Amino acid sequence: MPKRANGDGSITKVKGRDLYLARAYVTTTSGLRKRVSVYGKTRDEAREKLTALQAQDHQGIPVPDTNVKMAEYLTYWLGAVVKVNRRPKTYQGYESVVRVHLTPGLGNKKLRTLKAAEVRTWLARVALTCQCCKNGWDAARRTPECCAAGECCDSRLSRRMVQSIHAVLRNALENAVREELILRNVAKLVQVPTPEYGTGRGLTVPQARLLLKAAGADRLHALYVLALAMGMRRGELLGLHWAAVDLDRGTLIVSSNLQRVDGALQLGPTKTTSSLRTLPLPPLVTEALEAHRERQAQERVAAGERWMESGLVFTSRVGTAIEPDNLRRSWYPLRDRLGLTLRFHDLRHTCVTLLLDLGVPPHIVRQIAGHSDIGVTMKVYAHASLDEQRKALGSLSDRLA
């Protein structure tokens, strides 16, 4: 083999083992140039890892030090792994968890010596901590009402949030295992309480009919029809383009998602690959979309030069995308008139639950809703209605009588 030039790194066979060692000097998270090692079962595999390591160094991305602290490693992981490979909204959520919870709680711990007991103790403390006391929310008020006044309001994180914090830490440490920085993922050894999903959410068929009737005069009537009859997510509805709707063939393609990321509205891909789907349009939806298209054409004429063509199905009165949070301006008055306390997302839940109540096979419901796993369809959304439970128990009682 010809001698490698200075700076090219080196590849050698590990004595007595079917393993190859590749080493090169790169900049680590500590700011120092250090010789870092990677391994491969073949020389080619070791060379590929060495090339990737050097390419990362050339891009200015530091390599985690073996003695790196959790704060430094998490910063590296967010920038070099999550930001590059995950969607912007996912990165935003991970970054928030790291900044607010992981770095303050575990940032001074060393990556390679972090123990499961430390993670378990810290997560238990996070779950029991009053966030009002921790963040000084009440103290910031002009007139303290609870914690700062000596009466703790015990405002704790939800089980779902604690589970999310654990999941982000687990994902970060799993990447460290893949990069051979640690031998095992201690977060996997820690269990957190499973979130409790409430039952009874969603509308009954009569309530859904009443809602659609009440929304008949609303300029976003078609949006409520799609939410109830198709089970589409809020971002999918607001990111829907007319190009994805074929009223003649009666089909609709769910392929985009409108979200606010880092302060700006962004039109991106669907939540998961399973969320990308083509759905048939039932007559109720087709009629609503045809009426909405006519209404939008009238608004385009009324707006004149102020109209900004976006190609979106649901827009503001001047053609721009609708801010997702602004949908509440239409939804809250509508639900309040009907005496409901549901979230907009519960319209999607209603669609899934009613389909299951009709006896539609779960795998078909999963395809319609765009769930990544059928377990989500059954565990999170499939809360049987009281009528269905009464029917089932009645059938059993008849058999036993």
Side-chain angles (χ1 to χ4, degrees):
M1 293 290 293
K3 185 177 180 180
R4 298 174 67 86
N6 187 32
D8 285 352
S10 62
I11 303 176
T12 57
K13 191 174 187 305
V14 179
K15 187 176 181 180
R17 298 181 62 185
D18 293 330
L19 199 64
Y20 287 85
L21 166 66
R23 296 189 291 181
Y25 281 95
V26 295
T27 301
T28 64
T29 50
S30 62
L32 302 176
R33 296 286 293 180
K34 291 187 177 181
R35 202 176 193 188
V36 175
S37 302
V38 291
Y39 296 86
K41 294 182 179 180
T42 64
R43 179 178 288 276
D44 288 340
E45 183 181 345
R47 183 183 294 107
E48 288 179 5
K49 291 185 176 181
L50 178 64
T51 301
L53 181 69
Q54 292 173 322
Q56 179 177 308
D57 184 54
H58 292 327
Q59 293 171 8
I61 302 174
V63 175
D65 201 309
T66 53
N67 289 320
V68 69
K69 289 186 176 181
M70 283 295 297
E72 298 173 16
Y73 169 72
L74 289 170
T75 299
Y76 152 78
W77 173 69
L78 283 173
V81 180
V82 179
K83 196 167 189 176
V84 173
N85 300 310
R86 305 299 290 272
R87 292 170 177 167
K89 193 67 173 181
T90 302
Y91 170 78
Q92 181 176 302
Y94 280 19
E95 188 277 333
S96 177
V97 169
V98 169
R99 172 171 42 83
V100 176
H101 300 287
L102 296 183
T103 297
L106 300 174
N108 288 326
K109 301 288 185 181
K110 287 190 175 180
L111 173 64
R112 64 182 178 85
T113 59
L114 184 66
K115 295 180 175 59
E118 294 174 327
V119 174
R120 187 177 298 109
T121 301
W122 171 71
L123 277 174
R125 186 166 61 250
V126 167
L128 295 174
T129 298
C130 172
Q131 297 302 301
C132 183
C133 293
K134 175 186 174 183
N135 299 300
W137 294 338
D138 188 45
R141 297 190 178 103
R142 291 184 177 180
T143 305
E145 302 172 357
C146 50
C147 299
E151 298 180 3
C152 182
C153 63
D154 201 23
S155 178
R156 302 181 185 182
L157 295 175
S158 65
R159 284 190 175 187
R160 181 71 184 91
M161 188 63 220
V162 174
Q163 185 189 52
S164 296
I165 295 171
H166 176 253
V168 173
L169 176 62
R170 186 182 66 243
N171 290 341
L173 295 182
E174 191 62 23
N175 180 76
V177 172
R178 286 193 294 268
E179 296 187 4
E180 299 181 330
L181 299 174
I182 54 178
L183 296 178
R184 64 175 182 172
N185 185 344
V186 296
K188 284 186 173 181
L189 305 177
V190 179
Q191 292 184 329
V192 294
T194 303
E196 296 177 350
Y197 297 100
T199 60
R201 298 177 300 177
L203 302 172
T204 62
V205 172
Q207 287 176 326
R209 287 175 178 167
L210 186 61
L211 173 64
L212 292 181
K213 183 178 180 180
D218 195 294
R219 62 182 298 271
L220 295 179
H221 171 253
L223 182 141
Y224 295 115
V225 173
L226 281 169
L228 276 171
M230 309 286 284
M232 293 173 64
R233 300 177 177 90
R234 182 182 67 172
E236 294 172 346
L237 290 165
L238 299 181
L240 180 64
H241 282 80
W242 282 114
V245 179
D246 190 333
L247 294 177
D248 295 328
R249 297 181 59 187
T251 60
L252 178 152
I253 301 174
V254 181
S255 60
S256 55
N257 189 35
L258 183 70
Q259 294 178 321
R260 180 165 289 279
V261 181
D262 293 332
L265 283 179
Q266 293 187 15
L267 195 63
T270 52
K271 184 177 180 181
T272 64
T273 54
S274 300
S275 301
L276 177 62
R277 57 202 188 276
T278 299
L279 299 174
L281 296 178
L284 175 68
V285 176
T286 301
E287 292 173 7
L289 285 173
E290 288 175 343
H292 180 76
R293 185 166 59 179
E294 292 180 8
R295 183 198 299 268
Q296 191 178 72
Q298 295 171 3
E299 291 181 342
R300 184 183 292 107
V301 173
E305 295 182 354
R306 294 184 299 121
W307 183 268
M308 300 177 64
E309 186 59 54
S310 62
L312 295 172
V313 174
F314 301 107
T315 65
S316 68
R317 295 183 187 276
V318 292
T320 58
I322 296 177
E323 165 65 50
D325 285 343
N326 286 349
L327 188 58
R328 293 177 296 187
R329 296 177 182 175
S330 170
W331 167 240
Y332 284 177
L334 178 60
R335 71 170 193 180
D336 291 345
R337 287 200 304 270
L338 299 175
L340 303 174
T341 57
L342 299 176
R343 306 166 301 164
F344 180 81
H345 187 75
D346 289 328
L347 300 183
R348 168 176 164 83
H349 169 80
T350 297
C351 173
V352 173
T353 302
L354 293 181
L355 285 172
L356 291 167
D357 285 350
L358 288 171
V360 178
H363 71 279
I364 300 297
V365 178
R366 170 181 174 259
Q367 294 173 353
I368 293 173
H371 289 150
S372 59
D373 192 295
I374 197 169
V376 176
T377 309
M378 300 305 298
K379 183 177 181 180
V380 181
Y381 289 91
H383 303 305
S385 67
L386 288 176
D387 288 341
E388 289 299 313
Q389 294 180 47
R390 185 177 291 108
K391 180 180 178 181
L393 291 175
S395 298
L396 177 60
S397 297
D398 292 341
R399 290 289 184 91
L400 296 176

